Amino acid sequence: MMLRKINYMTAGVTVLIMACLYLMVKMFALMSQNEQNQQMTNKIIKKIEKQNDSIIASKTAHIKTLLSENQKSQKIIDASSKRIHQLENSIDSIRLAFRRRKKEVEQLSDKELGKYWENEFN
Amino acid sequence: MNLIKYILFLVSFSAFSQVEKVAYPAIIVYQVDTLLAFTTDQGRKLSVLNEERKECIEINKDLIKQKEEYQITIREKDKQLTNLTKVKADQDTIINSLNENLSIAKTQRDVVTNQRNNQRAYKWTAIGVGSFTTLFMSYLFITK
């Protein structure tokens, strides 16, 4: 009776061990498949990352070029503003000079007036 | 008779005053030339106007130059604006790429965390099963 019981138990344990072995084999197979999938995913991810990094690098370089162009434009604008300012000063000095000139002309004597018009036409 | 004399005097006086009131500028024929005559005051006014004309010409030259300079400034500003629009578009693309990279990194982190948790579960299952089997085998060995 005892021996029978032990035999049943041994059979049970054997089944359990077999089941464990089956599960372990299956687990290893799944792990291997998982590893393959993981490798593939990593490869794709690296490719995407590389692509994105390349996009970022090219766009950064483009931005740098555009900003350098803007700096050149700014230099031109600054030079232009300087010239505009100089021209404004020139206009002011012209106005001042002609204001004086007009006062002088208003006070010309008859003889000087004659000379003035003589000079204008000759 | 006196009345007639008086009337003649008035007529001659009015004629004389008309001669005095010649309005200038006037056209005068002098020898063989036809002249346009101005008074000296008018001449002074004309010379002031002439100076104003010269002033306008000079200022106009500078204003034309200023206009050219403003056109240059506008053109360069437009260029800058276009470039900044492009910079914005590029930065948007960079942000999108970085977001994509970030999302990939997050996914990778999740995968690794999941793997670690699974490994822990496998480890404790293996320990449990191994312990149980060892204990059971020991029990069998002792009770044999």
Side-chain angles (χ1 to χ4, degrees):
Chain A
M1 189 71 181
M2 188 71 177
L3 199 67
R4 214 175 190 184
K5 202 177 177 182
I6 289 166
N7 279 342
Y8 278 135
M9 285 174 97
T10 313
V13 169
T14 311
V15 168
L16 189 70
I17 289 165
M18 291 297 280
C20 281
L21 282 170
Y22 169 73
L23 285 171
M24 277 173 80
V25 168
K26 200 179 176 183
M27 191 181 81
F28 280 122
L30 283 171
M31 274 170 78
S32 165
Q33 203 182 347
N34 194 29
E35 205 174 318
Q36 273 181 355
N37 287 341
Q38 193 63 42
Q39 275 175 358
M40 210 171 178
T41 312
N42 283 343
K43 220 174 173 179
I44 292 164
I45 284 169
K46 270 183 185 170
K47 203 178 170 184
I48 293 168
E49 277 179 344
K50 212 175 171 183
Q51 239 174 5
N52 283 341
D53 287 344
S54 144
I55 289 168
I56 290 166
S58 74
K59 293 291 174 189
T60 308
H62 192 222
I63 287 170
K64 220 174 174 180
T65 315
L66 291 169
L67 290 177
S68 122
E69 270 179 32
N70 272 13
Q71 273 181 345
K72 279 179 194 168
S73 292
Q74 193 56 47
K75 277 180 188 169
I76 294 169
I77 289 165
D78 289 344
S80 193
S81 313
K82 205 176 171 183
R83 283 196 293 270
I84 287 167
H85 190 67
Q86 281 170 350
L87 287 166
E88 271 170 12
N89 286 341
S90 161
I91 288 169
D92 287 343
S93 62
I94 288 169
R95 280 191 177 137
L96 202 70
F98 274 96
R99 200 178 293 156
R100 271 194 227 122
R101 182 83 184 123
K102 277 185 269 180
K103 272 185 188 171
E104 281 170 14
V105 166
E106 270 176 340
Q107 289 164 357
L108 288 177
S109 66
D110 292 355
K111 205 176 174 183
E112 285 168 338
L113 193 67
K115 270 190 180 175
Y116 170 86
W117 283 110
E118 207 175 307
N119 288 335
E120 285 299 307
F121 286 105
N122 293 325
Chain B
M1 193 64 187
N2 280 337
L3 185 66
I4 292 165
K5 274 183 181 174
Y6 182 68
I7 290 166
L8 276 171
F9 172 75
L10 278 179
V11 169
S12 60
F13 182 77
S14 65
F16 176 76
S17 53
Q18 271 178 2
V19 169
E20 279 295 304
K21 283 182 183 173
V22 171
Y24 288 97
I27 293 169
I28 296 167
V29 179
Y30 178 72
Q31 293 177 347
V32 288
D33 295 324
T34 307
L35 308 176
L36 182 59
F38 293 95
T39 62
T40 47
D41 282 342
Q42 286 173 336
R44 274 188 201 94
K45 275 183 190 169
L46 283 174
S47 37
V48 170
L49 288 175
N50 188 39
E51 290 304 317
E52 279 175 358
R53 181 187 64 84
K54 283 185 200 168
E55 183 186 357
C56 287
I57 289 167
E58 290 299 313
I59 289 173
N60 191 43
K61 277 181 199 167
D62 281 356
L63 286 176
I64 286 167
K65 281 181 197 165
Q66 266 195 338
K67 191 187 163 194
E68 281 166 10
E69 294 298 333
Y70 277 120
Q71 278 170 344
I72 289 169
T73 306
I74 289 166
R75 197 175 57 230
E76 292 302 321
K77 286 271 176 195
D78 281 345
K79 211 191 270 180
Q80 278 189 332
L81 195 68
T82 315
N83 283 352
L84 286 175
T85 314
K86 282 180 191 169
V87 166
K88 191 186 169 286
D90 284 350
Q91 280 176 340
D92 286 344
T93 314
I94 287 172
I95 288 166
N96 284 340
S97 299
L98 285 172
N99 281 338
E100 210 170 307
N101 279 356
L102 185 72
S103 117
I104 287 168
K106 275 181 182 173
T107 313
Q108 276 181 319
R109 189 193 62 189
D110 290 345
V111 166
V112 169
T113 311
N114 204 22
Q115 275 179 344
R116 190 194 61 190
N117 291 341
N118 285 345
Q119 278 171 1
R120 272 182 188 169
Y122 289 144
K123 183 182 80 181
W124 286 112
T125 310
I127 288 169
V129 168
S131 305
F132 176 73
T133 313
T134 311
L135 284 171
F136 191 71
M137 291 302 276
S138 305
Y139 169 74
L140 283 181
F141 181 72
I142 291 162
T143 53
K144 197 176 176 181

mmCIF file with all atom_site columns, all heavy atoms in Angstrom, chain B residues 24-48:
data_model
loop_
_atom_site.group_PDB
_atom_site.id
_atom_site.type_symbol
_atom_site.label_atom_id
_atom_site.label_alt_id
_atom_site.label_comp_id
_atom_site.label_asym_id
_atom_site.label_entity_id
_atom_site.label_seq_id
_atom_site.pdbx_PDB_ins_code
_atom_site.Cartn_x
_atom_site.Cartn_y
_atom_site.Cartn_z
_atom_site.occupancy
_atom_site.B_iso_or_equiv
_atom_site.pdbx_formal_charge
_atom_site.auth_seq_id
_atom_site.auth_comp_id
_atom_site.auth_asym_id
_atom_site.auth_atom_id
_atom_site.pdbx_PDB_model_num
ATOM 1   N N   . TYR B 1 24 ? 4.859  146.927 -62.083 1.00 0.00 ? 24 TYR B N   1
ATOM 2   C CA  . TYR B 1 24 ? 5.967  146.036 -62.434 1.00 0.00 ? 24 TYR B CA  1
ATOM 3   C C   . TYR B 1 24 ? 5.660  144.656 -61.879 1.00 0.00 ? 24 TYR B C   1
ATOM 4   O O   . TYR B 1 24 ? 5.025  144.557 -60.836 1.00 0.00 ? 24 TYR B O   1
ATOM 5   C CB  . TYR B 1 24 ? 7.281  146.578 -61.868 1.00 0.00 ? 24 TYR B CB  1
ATOM 6   C CG  . TYR B 1 24 ? 7.765  147.804 -62.604 1.00 0.00 ? 24 TYR B CG  1
ATOM 7   C CD1 . TYR B 1 24 ? 7.505  149.082 -62.113 1.00 0.00 ? 24 TYR B CD1 1
ATOM 8   C CD2 . TYR B 1 24 ? 8.466  147.653 -63.809 1.00 0.00 ? 24 TYR B CD2 1
ATOM 9   C CE1 . TYR B 1 24 ? 7.931  150.199 -62.794 1.00 0.00 ? 24 TYR B CE1 1
ATOM 10  C CE2 . TYR B 1 24 ? 8.905  148.777 -64.488 1.00 0.00 ? 24 TYR B CE2 1
ATOM 11  C CZ  . TYR B 1 24 ? 8.636  150.054 -63.972 1.00 0.00 ? 24 TYR B CZ  1
ATOM 12  O OH  . TYR B 1 24 ? 9.064  151.138 -64.657 1.00 0.00 ? 24 TYR B OH  1
ATOM 13  N N   . PRO B 1 25 ? 6.119  143.638 -62.536 1.00 0.00 ? 25 PRO B N   1
ATOM 14  C CA  . PRO B 1 25 ? 6.957  143.567 -63.727 1.00 0.00 ? 25 PRO B CA  1
ATOM 15  C C   . PRO B 1 25 ? 6.252  144.075 -64.975 1.00 0.00 ? 25 PRO B C   1
ATOM 16  O O   . PRO B 1 25 ? 5.050  143.866 -65.117 1.00 0.00 ? 25 PRO B O   1
ATOM 17  C CB  . PRO B 1 25 ? 7.261  142.064 -63.871 1.00 0.00 ? 25 PRO B CB  1
ATOM 18  C CG  . PRO B 1 25 ? 6.181  141.376 -63.145 1.00 0.00 ? 25 PRO B CG  1
ATOM 19  C CD  . PRO B 1 25 ? 5.749  142.292 -62.047 1.00 0.00 ? 25 PRO B CD  1
ATOM 20  N N   . ALA B 1 26 ? 7.025  144.743 -65.792 1.00 0.00 ? 26 ALA B N   1
ATOM 21  C CA  . ALA B 1 26 ? 6.466  145.308 -67.016 1.00 0.00 ? 26 ALA B CA  1
ATOM 22  C C   . ALA B 1 26 ? 7.377  145.007 -68.190 1.00 0.00 ? 26 ALA B C   1
ATOM 23  O O   . ALA B 1 26 ? 8.577  144.776 -68.002 1.00 0.00 ? 26 ALA B O   1
ATOM 24  C CB  . ALA B 1 26 ? 6.339  146.807 -66.846 1.00 0.00 ? 26 ALA B CB  1
ATOM 25  N N   . ILE B 1 27 ? 6.770  144.964 -69.336 1.00 0.00 ? 27 ILE B N   1
ATOM 26  C CA  . ILE B 1 27 ? 7.579  144.721 -70.542 1.00 0.00 ? 27 ILE B CA  1
ATOM 27  C C   . ILE B 1 27 ? 7.955  146.074 -71.129 1.00 0.00 ? 27 ILE B C   1
ATOM 28  O O   . ILE B 1 27 ? 7.077  146.908 -71.396 1.00 0.00 ? 27 ILE B O   1
ATOM 29  C CB  . ILE B 1 27 ? 6.809  143.857 -71.553 1.00 0.00 ? 27 ILE B CB  1
ATOM 30  C CG1 . ILE B 1 27 ? 6.636  142.450 -70.936 1.00 0.00 ? 27 ILE B CG1 1
ATOM 31  C CG2 . ILE B 1 27 ? 7.542  143.762 -72.876 1.00 0.00 ? 27 ILE B CG2 1
ATOM 32  C CD1 . ILE B 1 27 ? 5.706  141.566 -71.668 1.00 0.00 ? 27 ILE B CD1 1
ATOM 33  N N   . ILE B 1 28 ? 9.234  146.269 -71.271 1.00 0.00 ? 28 ILE B N   1
ATOM 34  C CA  . ILE B 1 28 ? 9.735  147.563 -71.767 1.00 0.00 ? 28 ILE B CA  1
ATOM 35  C C   . ILE B 1 28 ? 10.557 147.311 -73.012 1.00 0.00 ? 28 ILE B C   1
ATOM 36  O O   . ILE B 1 28 ? 11.374 146.390 -73.048 1.00 0.00 ? 28 ILE B O   1
ATOM 37  C CB  . ILE B 1 28 ? 10.604 148.257 -70.695 1.00 0.00 ? 28 ILE B CB  1
ATOM 38  C CG1 . ILE B 1 28 ? 9.746  148.593 -69.461 1.00 0.00 ? 28 ILE B CG1 1
ATOM 39  C CG2 . ILE B 1 28 ? 11.272 149.511 -71.243 1.00 0.00 ? 28 ILE B CG2 1
ATOM 40  C CD1 . ILE B 1 28 ? 10.545 148.974 -68.264 1.00 0.00 ? 28 ILE B CD1 1
ATOM 41  N N   . VAL B 1 29 ? 10.310 148.125 -74.001 1.00 0.00 ? 29 VAL B N   1
ATOM 42  C CA  . VAL B 1 29 ? 11.133 148.028 -75.227 1.00 0.00 ? 29 VAL B CA  1
ATOM 43  C C   . VAL B 1 29 ? 12.225 149.077 -75.106 1.00 0.00 ? 29 VAL B C   1
ATOM 44  O O   . VAL B 1 29 ? 11.956 150.265 -75.009 1.00 0.00 ? 29 VAL B O   1
ATOM 45  C CB  . VAL B 1 29 ? 10.286 148.248 -76.487 1.00 0.00 ? 29 VAL B CB  1
ATOM 46  C CG1 . VAL B 1 29 ? 11.162 148.171 -77.741 1.00 0.00 ? 29 VAL B CG1 1
ATOM 47  C CG2 . VAL B 1 29 ? 9.162  147.232 -76.569 1.00 0.00 ? 29 VAL B CG2 1
ATOM 48  N N   . TYR B 1 30 ? 13.448 148.562 -74.999 1.00 0.00 ? 30 TYR B N   1
ATOM 49  C CA  . TYR B 1 30 ? 14.608 149.438 -74.821 1.00 0.00 ? 30 TYR B CA  1
ATOM 50  C C   . TYR B 1 30 ? 15.524 149.242 -76.017 1.00 0.00 ? 30 TYR B C   1
ATOM 51  O O   . TYR B 1 30 ? 16.065 148.127 -76.194 1.00 0.00 ? 30 TYR B O   1
ATOM 52  C CB  . TYR B 1 30 ? 15.312 149.084 -73.512 1.00 0.00 ? 30 TYR B CB  1
ATOM 53  C CG  . TYR B 1 30 ? 16.557 149.898 -73.245 1.00 0.00 ? 30 TYR B CG  1
ATOM 54  C CD1 . TYR B 1 30 ? 16.458 151.251 -72.884 1.00 0.00 ? 30 TYR B CD1 1
ATOM 55  C CD2 . TYR B 1 30 ? 17.810 149.323 -73.346 1.00 0.00 ? 30 TYR B CD2 1
ATOM 56  C CE1 . TYR B 1 30 ? 17.590 151.983 -72.633 1.00 0.00 ? 30 TYR B CE1 1
ATOM 57  C CE2 . TYR B 1 30 ? 18.948 150.064 -73.103 1.00 0.00 ? 30 TYR B CE2 1
ATOM 58  C CZ  . TYR B 1 30 ? 18.847 151.409 -72.741 1.00 0.00 ? 30 TYR B CZ  1
ATOM 59  O OH  . TYR B 1 30 ? 19.977 152.129 -72.511 1.00 0.00 ? 30 TYR B OH  1
ATOM 60  N N   . GLN B 1 31 ? 15.675 150.313 -76.811 1.00 0.00 ? 31 GLN B N   1
ATOM 61  C CA  . GLN B 1 31 ? 16.405 150.243 -78.090 1.00 0.00 ? 31 GLN B CA  1
ATOM 62  C C   . GLN B 1 31 ? 15.853 149.086 -78.928 1.00 0.00 ? 31 GLN B C   1
ATOM 63  O O   . GLN B 1 31 ? 14.696 149.124 -79.291 1.00 0.00 ? 31 GLN B O   1
ATOM 64  C CB  . GLN B 1 31 ? 17.901 150.142 -77.830 1.00 0.00 ? 31 GLN B CB  1
ATOM 65  C CG  . GLN B 1 31 ? 18.430 151.427 -77.196 1.00 0.00 ? 31 GLN B CG  1
ATOM 66  C CD  . GLN B 1 31 ? 19.899 151.361 -76.846 1.00 0.00 ? 31 GLN B CD  1
ATOM 67  O OE1 . GLN B 1 31 ? 20.506 150.306 -76.847 1.00 0.00 ? 31 GLN B OE1 1
ATOM 68  N NE2 . GLN B 1 31 ? 20.464 152.513 -76.541 1.00 0.00 ? 31 GLN B NE2 1
ATOM 69  N N   . VAL B 1 32 ? 16.647 148.042 -79.146 1.00 0.00 ? 32 VAL B N   1
ATOM 70  C CA  . VAL B 1 32 ? 16.120 146.945 -79.969 1.00 0.00 ? 32 VAL B CA  1
ATOM 71  C C   . VAL B 1 32 ? 15.668 145.762 -79.119 1.00 0.00 ? 32 VAL B C   1
ATOM 72  O O   . VAL B 1 32 ? 15.161 144.772 -79.634 1.00 0.00 ? 32 VAL B O   1
ATOM 73  C CB  . VAL B 1 32 ? 17.181 146.466 -80.992 1.00 0.00 ? 32 VAL B CB  1
ATOM 74  C CG1 . VAL B 1 32 ? 17.385 147.484 -82.092 1.00 0.00 ? 32 VAL B CG1 1
ATOM 75  C CG2 . VAL B 1 32 ? 18.486 146.112 -80.300 1.00 0.00 ? 32 VAL B CG2 1
ATOM 76  N N   . ASP B 1 33 ? 15.898 145.832 -77.773 1.00 0.00 ? 33 ASP B N   1
ATOM 77  C CA  . ASP B 1 33 ? 15.565 144.692 -76.900 1.00 0.00 ? 33 ASP B CA  1
ATOM 78  C C   . ASP B 1 33 ? 14.206 144.887 -76.232 1.00 0.00 ? 33 ASP B C   1
ATOM 79  O O   . ASP B 1 33 ? 13.835 146.001 -75.885 1.00 0.00 ? 33 ASP B O   1
ATOM 80  C CB  . ASP B 1 33 ? 16.614 144.559 -75.800 1.00 0.00 ? 33 ASP B CB  1
ATOM 81  C CG  . ASP B 1 33 ? 17.973 144.211 -76.387 1.00 0.00 ? 33 ASP B CG  1
ATOM 82  O OD1 . ASP B 1 33 ? 18.001 143.456 -77.387 1.00 0.00 ? 33 ASP B OD1 1
ATOM 83  O OD2 . ASP B 1 33 ? 18.999 144.691 -75.844 1.00 0.00 ? 33 ASP B OD2 1
ATOM 84  N N   . THR B 1 34 ? 13.525 143.776 -76.064 1.00 0.00 ? 34 THR B N   1
ATOM 85  C CA  . THR B 1 34 ? 12.292 143.794 -75.268 1.00 0.00 ? 34 THR B CA  1
ATOM 86  C C   . THR B 1 34 ? 12.665 143.254 -73.891 1.00 0.00 ? 34 THR B C   1
ATOM 87  O O   . THR B 1 34 ? 13.174 142.135 -73.781 1.00 0.00 ? 34 THR B O   1
ATOM 88  C CB  . THR B 1 34 ? 11.212 142.913 -75.915 1.00 0.00 ? 34 THR B CB  1
ATOM 89  O OG1 . THR B 1 34 ? 11.071 143.331 -77.255 1.00 0.00 ? 34 THR B OG1 1
ATOM 90  C CG2 . THR B 1 34 ? 9.892  143.041 -75.193 1.00 0.00 ? 34 THR B CG2 1
ATOM 91  N N   . LEU B 1 35 ? 12.435 144.064 -72.877 1.00 0.00 ? 35 LEU B N   1
ATOM 92  C CA  . LEU B 1 35 ? 12.876 143.687 -71.535 1.00 0.00 ? 35 LEU B CA  1
ATOM 93  C C   . LEU B 1 35 ? 11.688 143.420 -70.621 1.00 0.00 ? 35 LEU B C   1
ATOM 94  O O   . LEU B 1 35 ? 10.635 144.028 -70.762 1.00 0.00 ? 35 LEU B O   1
ATOM 95  C CB  . LEU B 1 35 ? 13.709 144.814 -70.919 1.00 0.00 ? 35 LEU B CB  1
ATOM 96  C CG  . LEU B 1 35 ? 14.867 145.352 -71.732 1.00 0.00 ? 35 LEU B CG  1
ATOM 97  C CD1 . LEU B 1 35 ? 15.489 146.528 -70.999 1.00 0.00 ? 35 LEU B CD1 1
ATOM 98  C CD2 . LEU B 1 35 ? 15.908 144.269 -71.958 1.00 0.00 ? 35 LEU B CD2 1
ATOM 99  N N   . LEU B 1 36 ? 11.925 142.501 -69.692 1.00 0.00 ? 36 LEU B N   1
ATOM 100 C CA  . LEU B 1 36 ? 10.947 142.259 -68.627 1.00 0.00 ? 36 LEU B CA  1
ATOM 101 C C   . LEU B 1 36 ? 11.512 142.934 -67.393 1.00 0.00 ? 36 LEU B C   1
ATOM 102 O O   . LEU B 1 36 ? 12.531 142.516 -66.856 1.00 0.00 ? 36 LEU B O   1
ATOM 103 C CB  . LEU B 1 36 ? 10.779 140.754 -68.399 1.00 0.00 ? 36 LEU B CB  1
ATOM 104 C CG  . LEU B 1 36 ? 9.774  140.316 -67.356 1.00 0.00 ? 36 LEU B CG  1
ATOM 105 C CD1 . LEU B 1 36 ? 8.372  140.818 -67.661 1.00 0.00 ? 36 LEU B CD1 1
ATOM 106 C CD2 . LEU B 1 36 ? 9.752  138.800 -67.267 1.00 0.00 ? 36 LEU B CD2 1
ATOM 107 N N   . ALA B 1 37 ? 10.882 144.008 -66.946 1.00 0.00 ? 37 ALA B N   1
ATOM 108 C CA  . ALA B 1 37 ? 11.460 144.815 -65.874 1.00 0.00 ? 37 ALA B CA  1
ATOM 109 C C   . ALA B 1 37 ? 10.782 144.530 -64.546 1.00 0.00 ? 37 ALA B C   1
ATOM 110 O O   . ALA B 1 37 ? 9.551  144.421 -64.454 1.00 0.00 ? 37 ALA B O   1
ATOM 111 C CB  . ALA B 1 37 ? 11.301 146.278 -66.215 1.00 0.00 ? 37 ALA B CB  1
ATOM 112 N N   . PHE B 1 38 ? 11.618 144.363 -63.517 1.00 0.00 ? 38 PHE B N   1
ATOM 113 C CA  . PHE B 1 38 ? 11.130 144.190 -62.154 1.00 0.00 ? 38 PHE B CA  1
ATOM 114 C C   . PHE B 1 38 ? 11.658 145.332 -61.305 1.00 0.00 ? 38 PHE B C   1
ATOM 115 O O   . PHE B 1 38 ? 12.708 145.904 -61.613 1.00 0.00 ? 38 PHE B O   1
ATOM 116 C CB  . PHE B 1 38 ? 11.679 142.891 -61.560 1.00 0.00 ? 38 PHE B CB  1
ATOM 117 C CG  . PHE B 1 38 ? 11.165 141.656 -62.206 1.00 0.00 ? 38 PHE B CG  1
ATOM 118 C CD1 . PHE B 1 38 ? 11.887 141.035 -63.214 1.00 0.00 ? 38 PHE B CD1 1
ATOM 119 C CD2 . PHE B 1 38 ? 9.961  141.100 -61.814 1.00 0.00 ? 38 PHE B CD2 1
ATOM 120 C CE1 . PHE B 1 38 ? 11.420 139.879 -63.799 1.00 0.00 ? 38 PHE B CE1 1
ATOM 121 C CE2 . PHE B 1 38 ? 9.492  139.940 -62.393 1.00 0.00 ? 38 PHE B CE2 1
ATOM 122 C CZ  . PHE B 1 38 ? 10.219 139.321 -63.400 1.00 0.00 ? 38 PHE B CZ  1
ATOM 123 N N   . THR B 1 39 ? 10.976 145.612 -60.218 1.00 0.00 ? 39 THR B N   1
ATOM 124 C CA  . THR B 1 39 ? 11.537 146.579 -59.266 1.00 0.00 ? 39 THR B CA  1
ATOM 125 C C   . THR B 1 39 ? 12.608 145.840 -58.477 1.00 0.00 ? 39 THR B C   1
ATOM 126 O O   . THR B 1 39 ? 12.660 144.595 -58.484 1.00 0.00 ? 39 THR B O   1
ATOM 127 C CB  . THR B 1 39 ? 10.461 147.089 -58.303 1.00 0.00 ? 39 THR B CB  1
ATOM 128 O OG1 . THR B 1 39 ? 9.971  145.969 -57.565 1.00 0.00 ? 39 THR B OG1 1
ATOM 129 C CG2 . THR B 1 39 ? 9.328  147.775 -59.024 1.00 0.00 ? 39 THR B CG2 1
ATOM 130 N N   . THR B 1 40 ? 13.451 146.566 -57.768 1.00 0.00 ? 40 THR B N   1
ATOM 131 C CA  . THR B 1 40 ? 14.522 145.909 -56.990 1.00 0.00 ? 40 THR B CA  1
ATOM 132 C C   . THR B 1 40 ? 13.935 145.063 -55.868 1.00 0.00 ? 40 THR B C   1
ATOM 133 O O   . THR B 1 40 ? 14.463 143.999 -55.547 1.00 0.00 ? 40 THR B O   1
ATOM 134 C CB  . THR B 1 40 ? 15.493 146.952 -56.422 1.00 0.00 ? 40 THR B CB  1
ATOM 135 O OG1 . THR B 1 40 ? 14.747 147.999 -55.835 1.00 0.00 ? 40 THR B OG1 1
ATOM 136 C CG2 . THR B 1 40 ? 16.422 147.495 -57.484 1.00 0.00 ? 40 THR B CG2 1
ATOM 137 N N   . ASP B 1 41 ? 12.822 145.526 -55.287 1.00 0.00 ? 41 ASP B N   1
ATOM 138 C CA  . ASP B 1 41 ? 12.176 144.718 -54.228 1.00 0.00 ? 41 ASP B CA  1
ATOM 139 C C   . ASP B 1 41 ? 11.704 143.379 -54.785 1.00 0.00 ? 41 ASP B C   1
ATOM 140 O O   . ASP B 1 41 ? 11.886 142.320 -54.173 1.00 0.00 ? 41 ASP B O   1
ATOM 141 C CB  . ASP B 1 41 ? 10.973 145.478 -53.645 1.00 0.00 ? 41 ASP B CB  1
ATOM 142 C CG  . ASP B 1 41 ? 11.443 146.548 -52.661 1.00 0.00 ? 41 ASP B CG  1
ATOM 143 O OD1 . ASP B 1 41 ? 12.610 146.433 -52.213 1.00 0.00 ? 41 ASP B OD1 1
ATOM 144 O OD2 . ASP B 1 41 ? 10.661 147.476 -52.368 1.00 0.00 ? 41 ASP B OD2 1
ATOM 145 N N   . GLN B 1 42 ? 11.086 143.482 -55.996 1.00 0.00 ? 42 GLN B N   1
ATOM 146 C CA  . GLN B 1 42 ? 10.647 142.241 -56.642 1.00 0.00 ? 42 GLN B CA  1
ATOM 147 C C   . GLN B 1 42 ? 11.846 141.355 -56.957 1.00 0.00 ? 42 GLN B C   1
ATOM 148 O O   . GLN B 1 42 ? 11.804 140.126 -56.817 1.00 0.00 ? 42 GLN B O   1
ATOM 149 C CB  . GLN B 1 42 ? 9.865  142.563 -57.919 1.00 0.00 ? 42 GLN B CB  1
ATOM 150 C CG  . GLN B 1 42 ? 8.467  143.091 -57.638 1.00 0.00 ? 42 GLN B CG  1
ATOM 151 C CD  . GLN B 1 42 ? 7.766  143.575 -58.898 1.00 0.00 ? 42 GLN B CD  1
ATOM 152 O OE1 . GLN B 1 42 ? 8.419  143.936 -59.890 1.00 0.00 ? 42 GLN B OE1 1
ATOM 153 N NE2 . GLN B 1 42 ? 6.450  143.616 -58.842 1.00 0.00 ? 42 GLN B NE2 1
ATOM 154 N N   . GLY B 1 43 ? 12.914 142.004 -57.377 1.00 0.00 ? 43 GLY B N   1
ATOM 155 C CA  . GLY B 1 43 ? 14.163 141.268 -57.670 1.00 0.00 ? 43 GLY B CA  1
ATOM 156 C C   . GLY B 1 43 ? 14.670 140.546 -56.440 1.00 0.00 ? 43 GLY B C   1
ATOM 157 O O   . GLY B 1 43 ? 15.111 139.402 -56.521 1.00 0.00 ? 43 GLY B O   1
ATOM 158 N N   . ARG B 1 44 ? 14.594 141.210 -55.276 1.00 0.00 ? 44 ARG B N   1
ATOM 159 C CA  . ARG B 1 44 ? 15.039 140.571 -54.035 1.00 0.00 ? 44 ARG B CA  1
ATOM 160 C C   . ARG B 1 44 ? 14.156 139.352 -53.707 1.00 0.00 ? 44 ARG B C   1
ATOM 161 O O   . ARG B 1 44 ? 14.660 138.290 -53.340 1.00 0.00 ? 44 ARG B O   1
ATOM 162 C CB  . ARG B 1 44 ? 14.989 141.569 -52.875 1.00 0.00 ? 44 ARG B CB  1
ATOM 163 C CG  . ARG B 1 44 ? 16.249 142.378 -52.789 1.00 0.00 ? 44 ARG B CG  1
ATOM 164 C CD  . ARG B 1 44 ? 16.345 143.239 -51.559 1.00 0.00 ? 44 ARG B CD  1
ATOM 165 N NE  . ARG B 1 44 ? 17.306 144.298 -51.849 1.00 0.00 ? 44 ARG B NE  1
ATOM 166 C CZ  . ARG B 1 44 ? 17.004 145.495 -52.297 1.00 0.00 ? 44 ARG B CZ  1
ATOM 167 N NH1 . ARG B 1 44 ? 15.727 145.821 -52.476 1.00 0.00 ? 44 ARG B NH1 1
ATOM 168 N NH2 . ARG B 1 44 ? 17.935 146.385 -52.573 1.00 0.00 ? 44 ARG B NH2 1
ATOM 169 N N   . LYS B 1 45 ? 12.832 139.584 -53.884 1.00 0.00 ? 45 LYS B N   1
ATOM 170 C CA  . LYS B 1 45 ? 11.919 138.461 -53.630 1.00 0.00 ? 45 LYS B CA  1
ATOM 171 C C   . LYS B 1 45 ? 12.234 137.285 -54.549 1.00 0.00 ? 45 LYS B C   1
ATOM 172 O O   . LYS B 1 45 ? 12.249 136.126 -54.149 1.00 0.00 ? 45 LYS B O   1
ATOM 173 C CB  . LYS B 1 45 ? 10.465 138.890 -53.855 1.00 0.00 ? 45 LYS B CB  1
ATOM 174 C CG  . LYS B 1 45 ? 9.850  139.548 -52.642 1.00 0.00 ? 45 LYS B CG  1
ATOM 175 C CD  . LYS B 1 45 ? 8.405  139.877 -52.891 1.00 0.00 ? 45 LYS B CD  1
ATOM 176 C CE  . LYS B 1 45 ? 7.868  140.758 -51.767 1.00 0.00 ? 45 LYS B CE  1
ATOM 177 N NZ  . LYS B 1 45 ? 6.549  141.304 -52.106 1.00 0.00 ? 45 LYS B NZ  1
ATOM 178 N N   . LEU B 1 46 ? 12.509 137.649 -55.822 1.00 0.00 ? 46 LEU B N   1
ATOM 179 C CA  . LEU B 1 46 ? 12.830 136.596 -56.803 1.00 0.00 ? 46 LEU B CA  1
ATOM 180 C C   . LEU B 1 46 ? 14.128 135.879 -56.422 1.00 0.00 ? 46 LEU B C   1
ATOM 181 O O   . LEU B 1 46 ? 14.237 134.669 -56.577 1.00 0.00 ? 46 LEU B O   1
ATOM 182 C CB  . LEU B 1 46 ? 12.967 137.198 -58.200 1.00 0.00 ? 46 LEU B CB  1
ATOM 183 C CG  . LEU B 1 46 ? 11.657 137.533 -58.898 1.00 0.00 ? 46 LEU B CG  1
ATOM 184 C CD1 . LEU B 1 46 ? 11.931 138.257 -60.208 1.00 0.00 ? 46 LEU B CD1 1
ATOM 185 C CD2 . LEU B 1 46 ? 10.853 136.281 -59.183 1.00 0.00 ? 46 LEU B CD2 1
ATOM 186 N N   . SER B 1 47 ? 15.089 136.650 -55.920 1.00 0.00 ? 47 SER B N   1
ATOM 187 C CA  . SER B 1 47 ? 16.348 135.994 -55.547 1.00 0.00 ? 47 SER B CA  1
ATOM 188 C C   . SER B 1 47 ? 16.152 135.088 -54.340 1.00 0.00 ? 47 SER B C   1
ATOM 189 O O   . SER B 1 47 ? 16.741 134.001 -54.270 1.00 0.00 ? 47 SER B O   1
ATOM 190 C CB  . SER B 1 47 ? 17.475 136.992 -55.308 1.00 0.00 ? 47 SER B CB  1
ATOM 191 O OG  . SER B 1 47 ? 16.989 138.139 -54.706 1.00 0.00 ? 47 SER B OG  1
ATOM 192 N N   . VAL B 1 48 ? 15.277 135.494 -53.412 1.00 0.00 ? 48 VAL B N   1
ATOM 193 C CA  . VAL B 1 48 ? 14.974 134.603 -52.281 1.00 0.00 ? 48 VAL B CA  1
ATOM 194 C C   . VAL B 1 48 ? 14.310 133.331 -52.787 1.00 0.00 ? 48 VAL B C   1
ATOM 195 O O   . VAL B 1 48 ? 14.668 132.205 -52.382 1.00 0.00 ? 48 VAL B O   1
ATOM 196 C CB  . VAL B 1 48 ? 14.076 135.329 -51.246 1.00 0.00 ? 48 VAL B CB  1
ATOM 197 C CG1 . VAL B 1 48 ? 13.557 134.350 -50.199 1.00 0.00 ? 48 VAL B CG1 1
ATOM 198 C CG2 . VAL B 1 48 ? 14.845 136.460 -50.572 1.00 0.00 ? 48 VAL B CG2 1
#
